[in-house]
Amino acid sequence: PFQVVGGKVKKPGKRGRKPAKIDLKAKLERSRQSARECRARKKLRYQYLEELVSSRERAICALREELEMYKQWCMAMDQGKIPSEIKALLTGEEQSKAQQNSTKLAKAGKTEANSSNP
């Protein structure tokens, strides 16, 4: 039972190319190489994920310590005590503001001196 399609005789069965006669040893070697590469990629992926997890865990620990420090500060302030770290921050901000103001005044003085010269 042959079919005639477009003037060509077609045999029933599989369509497409006939499988080329591939050397079995070469095919097995390619398969082994592909498996080796797959295992290497998997190993790298797991190493990357483990590093990512450990870095996230370190970040979590650091944030927990920071949170605990802030809790201690709040408890101290509730008792009417100002932690030395906060005092240092406040005095540091006041000093930096004073420095900025003095810098602005010095710059303003220079511009006034320059504009008064003919």
Side-chain angles (χ1 to χ4, degrees), residues 98-114:
Q99 286 174 351
Q100 286 174 354
N101 287 339
S102 65
T103 307
K104 286 179 185 175
L105 289 173
K107 285 183 181 177
K110 285 180 184 175
T111 54
E112 288 173 12
N114 290 342

Side-chain angles (χ1 to χ4, degrees), residues 67-114:
L67 178 63
E68 191 58 37
M69 178 183 67
Y70 291 140
K71 283 182 181 178
Q72 296 295 327
W73 288 5
C74 289
M75 286 170 37
M77 285 191 285
D78 287 344
Q79 295 170 359
K81 301 173 187 172
I82 299 175
S84 58
E85 297 90 349
I86 293 178
K87 284 181 185 175
L89 285 173
L90 292 172
T91 56
E93 286 176 8
E94 289 170 6
Q95 287 173 356
S96 67
K97 285 180 184 176
Q99 286 174 351
Q100 286 174 354
N101 287 339
S102 65
T103 307
K104 286 179 185 175
L105 289 173
K107 285 183 181 177
K110 285 180 184 175
T111 54
E112 288 173 12
N114 290 342

Side-chain angles (χ1 to χ4, degrees), residues 51-80:
E51 289 172 11
L52 200 62
V53 167
S54 65
S55 71
R56 295 292 199 269
E57 285 174 345
R58 285 192 301 273
I60 288 169
C61 287
L63 288 169
R64 282 195 176 130
E65 287 175 11
E66 189 178 350
L67 178 63
E68 191 58 37
M69 178 183 67
Y70 291 140
K71 283 182 181 178
Q72 296 295 327
W73 288 5
C74 289
M75 286 170 37
M77 285 191 285
D78 287 344
Q79 295 170 359

Side-chain angles (χ1 to χ4, degrees), residues 112-118:
E112 288 173 12
N114 290 342
S115 62
S116 64
N117 289 343

Side-chain angles (χ1 to χ4, degrees), residues 9-89:
V9 177
K10 289 199 166 194
K11 297 179 185 175
K14 296 181 182 176
R15 297 192 308 185
R17 288 186 187 172
K18 292 181 182 176
K21 294 184 180 180
I22 301 170
D23 186 18
L24 191 59
K25 288 183 181 179
K27 186 175 180 181
L28 284 172
E29 185 54 40
R30 276 201 312 274
S31 176
R32 287 188 195 110
Q33 181 63 30
S34 176
R36 276 192 291 271
E37 291 170 2
C38 179
R39 285 190 295 271
R41 283 192 305 271
K42 183 178 179 182
K43 186 177 178 182
L44 284 172
R45 186 168 50 249
Y46 274 85
Q47 285 175 348
Y48 166 73
L49 290 172
E50 285 172 2
E51 289 172 11
L52 200 62
V53 167
S54 65
S55 71
R56 295 292 199 269
E57 285 174 345
R58 285 192 301 273
I60 288 169
C61 287
L63 288 169
R64 282 195 176 130
E65 287 175 11
E66 189 178 350
L67 178 63
E68 191 58 37
M69 178 183 67
Y70 291 140
K71 283 182 181 178
Q72 296 295 327
W73 288 5
C74 289
M75 286 170 37
M77 285 191 285
D78 287 344
Q79 295 170 359
K81 301 173 187 172
I82 299 175
S84 58
E85 297 90 349
I86 293 178
K87 284 181 185 175
L89 285 173

